[in-house]
Amino acid sequence: MGRFWRDLFGLANTLTLTARVVLLVVSLFVAGIWALALSTTAALERDLTQLLSDNFSSEATNVAADLDRDVRLYVNTLAHLADTLSPEILADPVKADHALDQFADSSAVVPHDCFVTDAKGTIIAGYPARFVQVGASVADLGYFRKLVATGKPVIGEPAPEDIGQSNSTMAIAVPLRNGTGAIAGALVGSVLLSDPLSFGQIEKLRVGRTGWFLVVSPTDRRILAATDRRRVGAVLPGHGIIPLLDRRFEQGYEGAEIVQASIGTRILSVARKMETTGWFVIASNPTTELFAPIASLKRHIYLAALLISLAVALILRFFLARQFAPLAQAGKAMRRMTKGEIPMAAIPVTRQDEIGELIADFNRLVEERGRLDRSLQAEIISRRQSNAALRDSTERLDGIYQTVGEGIVSTDAEQRIVLFNAAAERIFGRSADDIIGQHLNVLLPERFRARHAHQVADFDSSGQTQRRMGTYGLIYGLRASGEEFPLEASVSQSGTGPNKLLTVILRDITERRQAEQVREQLVRQLESLGGRLATAQEDERREIAYVLHEELGQELTTLKLYLQMSLSGNSGSEAAVPRDEALAMAVHATERVRRLVLDLEPPELTQLGLYAAVRGYSQRQAAAGGWKLHFDASKPEVRPPRAVERACFRLLQEGLRNVLEHSNASEVWIDLRQSEDTLEFSIRDNGVGFDYDASREYDGGESANLGLLGMQIRAKQAGGSVEIRATAGAGTEVLAVFALHTTTVESV
């Protein structure tokens, strides 16, 4: 500011006495008009603000009183309901649910949802079912702890009804007591703040034409209700942003003030605190509406001041233009000289004043400029010849760098990049224009930068001119996308001191490394899959041998004894007993053999086709696993190839085995659909599921992903594909699709 006044006084000293007097008079006149306008409008704003503040205070007080009354009505209603819930009702959740339903049907004031907890905070009954989770606990919530501590009704802090929703609910808790008067639990009702019978009535209230009401929680500064529903759920600025909000929420200040609101406009604001909840009702109105008459007066005054100022400025400009005409003519001649339209030459001096002295100084400058131009022209010719030779050499070298297939990066002594060829641009995904001048570390992952600095220092001190990088292990680069990739590189150095140049020639080996990793992973998977197949075959043989020897063998031996007894000559009732026992034993053994054969190769698959085999096997497994089966299939008009039927049935066996052993499901859906060209088969359960993406990461052991891989291989052998859809906690679905070259179903 001091410099401004110094410059202003300096400019005034260059004017004539007449010009300075005129300028001073005009300045004082304009300043007086603007000062009068500002003082008048300020006084009017102050008086109008006081009048409007009193009106706002009255409206805010009435709204706060109405909302307090509504909250107390909810509290009294819940307290009355709590008195009707006897210890016998609280001991029976069914009776408690019935009592709450009767309350919801008969009461004029009904919370959005309501539930009853025991003394430990566990919900035992409530309505509606979609909002109340019986068995959940509210013991950690603030309002429940406060209710237990005080034994009085508590109004909780508002909370969003659902994540991502602006609508909030207010929890009201009243104590439930047993026969001895001790707290036996809590009755909790949640009130939607958007309910038109409570805080939702704010949406119908307005201050003036464009003003509004807000209900704000001071603990988290969240808007709970508002005239403009779109603002519900928004959070007001934090501490230190708007001092008036800090005074209201921290000191309980309720007075009227004009502030800059968070929505970007100046407003007049008044607040009243609600006694029941501690929330604030804030009435606000934009000053653009309140001070509209004053704004109109301001516009007229400012317009008059502007017009007078413009008139004075035009007169002053005309006066100064005549005074500075010689200077303008000299300036025009100077501009033509700088553009080359006329040669540099002295300008005639027509007045012996400050302007004439300035023109004389310019003439001396022109003379000195001519001398310097002649000297500079000789220097330019010499430098032009040197630059041409240097440019030719640089272009040849740059052409070599840009056509090389390997990436080339050169840095100076401080490892600032000075050269970045086209191959390097392609490898790192960065343009030379963006990367040149940056430190080499931008091309390296963070964890390798310290080791790289150590290697460069070691190479610099070794005196070597070149070295293959990677001596201390595989090195990695960093693409512009943040992807790390392996590379091969060699480094060379030239020059000394500050002119030292380090050049790195590098090759991206990402595809080669990926191919090696895929090959190694496939080898490991095939080895593990082969071992698992051999193990499965041995287990199956062992199970068959056990059934044939231990179970079926014993039953046949017993059958033999019974037959011997029946042939020993006994007759009548004594012989009938062994015959009946032998017959029962034969039936049991036959059934066991039939089940064993069905598991290995069900006759339905060969005789009746895939539809019958899938249905029969699914029903048997559902009975064994104890889950509910949903079977949806239509019997096809044509029968798919035997290879497809067999592959599909084996997928069914593997899928249901996984459900039985791993899913812990209660329901299973099996769909079988056949069209002219395709056969679609799916198994879906509601079990625990698993992380399919994680299972695809091979861990070297006999994990579930090998079974999934086996299913995919079996389907592929029959011309199909398998898709696994699984998420932890959300069940699993196996979808198989086979291409068909169908044949007519044989009649049986």
Side-chain angles (χ1 to χ4, degrees), residues 44 145 185 268 288 354 373 398 426 435 509 511 611 692 707:
L44 290 175
R145 295 199 302 268
L268 175 62
T288 53
E354 293 86 349
D373 283 347
D398 185 64
R426 184 178 64 257
I435 205 67
I509 60 172
E511 294 183 358
Y611 173 85
Y692 179 62

Side-chain angles (χ1 to χ4, degrees), residues 40-57:
T40 302
T41 55
L44 290 175
E45 285 185 0
R46 184 172 57 254
D47 295 340
L48 185 58
T49 299
Q50 181 61 43
L51 178 63
L52 294 173
S53 298
D54 296 340
N55 185 34
F56 280 18
S57 298

Side-chain angles (χ1 to χ4, degrees), residues 691-702:
D691 190 340
Y692 179 62
D693 292 333
S695 73
R696 297 176 67 182
E697 298 294 333
Y698 182 73
D699 59 5
E702 293 188 5

Side-chain angles (χ1 to χ4, degrees), residues 654-655 658-659 661-664 683-697 703-709 711-712 722-734:
E654 180 68 21
N658 289 336
V659 173
E661 296 178 357
H662 305 294
S663 71
N664 204 14
I683 304 173
R684 180 168 59 90
D685 65 72
N686 65 345
V688 297
F690 64 98
D691 190 340
Y692 179 62
D693 292 333
S695 73
R696 297 176 67 182
E697 298 294 333
S703 55
N705 60 336
L706 290 178
L708 301 179
L709 179 61
M711 296 173 70
Q712 293 169 343
V722 173
E723 180 183 357
I724 309 298
R725 300 171 182 172
T727 304
T732 304
E733 181 178 7
V734 178

Side-chain angles (χ1 to χ4, degrees), residues 591 594-605 612-627 629 649 652-653 656 660 670:
E591 180 62 24
R594 190 181 70 84
R595 286 199 305 268
L596 182 61
V597 172
L598 287 177
D599 289 340
L600 294 176
E601 182 69 25
E604 296 99 320
L605 185 62
V614 169
R615 185 181 188 92
Y617 185 81
S618 302
Q619 290 175 345
R620 291 194 298 274
Q621 291 298 97
W627 61 67
L629 176 65
F649 185 76
L652 172 70
Q653 287 181 310
L656 293 185
L660 184 62
I670 297 179

Side-chain angles (χ1 to χ4, degrees), residues 71 74-79 82 111 113-117 138 141-148 150-157 170-177 183 185-191:
V71 173
Y74 274 107
V75 173
N76 294 337
T77 300
L78 289 176
D113 58 84
C114 186
F115 58 86
V116 174
T117 74
V138 297
L141 298 183
Y143 67 80
F144 184 81
R145 295 199 302 268
K146 186 174 180 181
L147 180 141
V148 173
T150 63
K152 298 179 180 179
V154 175
I155 299 175
E157 287 297 325
M170 172 183 64
I172 301 176
V174 298
L176 298 172
R177 303 185 183 277
I183 294 178
L187 174 63
V188 182
S190 296
V191 179

Side-chain angles (χ1 to χ4, degrees), residues 493-660:
Q493 61 178 333
S494 60
T496 58
N499 297 322
K500 180 178 294 185
L501 188 70
L502 294 175
T503 300
V504 181
I505 301 176
L506 53 91
R507 179 182 295 107
D508 184 357
I509 60 172
T510 300
E511 294 183 358
R512 189 175 73 190
R513 292 282 298 173
Q514 289 176 346
E516 293 174 354
Q517 291 173 356
V518 169
R519 181 178 59 81
E520 293 173 358
Q521 182 177 355
L522 288 176
V523 170
R524 291 196 301 269
Q525 287 182 340
L526 290 175
E527 290 176 351
S528 297
L529 189 59
R532 178 172 177 175
L533 180 59
T535 302
Q537 291 176 343
E538 291 299 326
D539 291 343
E540 190 174 65
R541 291 168 182 168
R542 188 180 302 108
E543 182 179 356
I544 294 173
Y546 177 82
V547 172
L548 293 177
H549 183 270
E550 298 297 332
E551 298 180 359
L552 190 59
Q554 292 180 7
E555 291 176 352
L556 292 176
T557 300
T558 304
L559 178 60
K560 176 182 176 181
L561 294 176
Y562 281 139
L563 291 175
Q564 289 176 349
M565 292 173 60
S566 64
L567 296 175
S568 61
N570 294 330
S571 59
S573 60
E574 294 180 357
V577 173
R579 283 197 302 272
D580 293 341
E581 294 292 340
L583 180 59
M585 188 65 66
V587 171
H588 187 268
T590 302
E591 180 62 24
R592 184 180 299 276
V593 172
R594 190 181 70 84
R595 286 199 305 268
L596 182 61
V597 172
L598 287 177
D599 289 340
L600 294 176
E601 182 69 25
E604 296 99 320
L605 185 62
T606 302
Q607 300 173 7
L608 302 179
L610 181 62
Y611 173 85
V614 169
R615 185 181 188 92
Y617 185 81
S618 302
Q619 290 175 345
R620 291 194 298 274
Q621 291 298 97
W627 61 67
K628 183 178 180 181
L629 176 65
H630 303 272
F631 183 77
D632 187 5
S634 58
K635 193 170 184 179
E637 297 180 359
V638 292
R639 185 167 176 175
R642 297 301 174 88
V644 173
E645 287 186 335
R646 186 177 300 276
C648 188
F649 185 76
R650 294 308 181 194
L651 293 180
L652 172 70
Q653 287 181 310
E654 180 68 21
L656 293 185
R657 184 181 299 112
N658 289 336
V659 173
L660 184 62

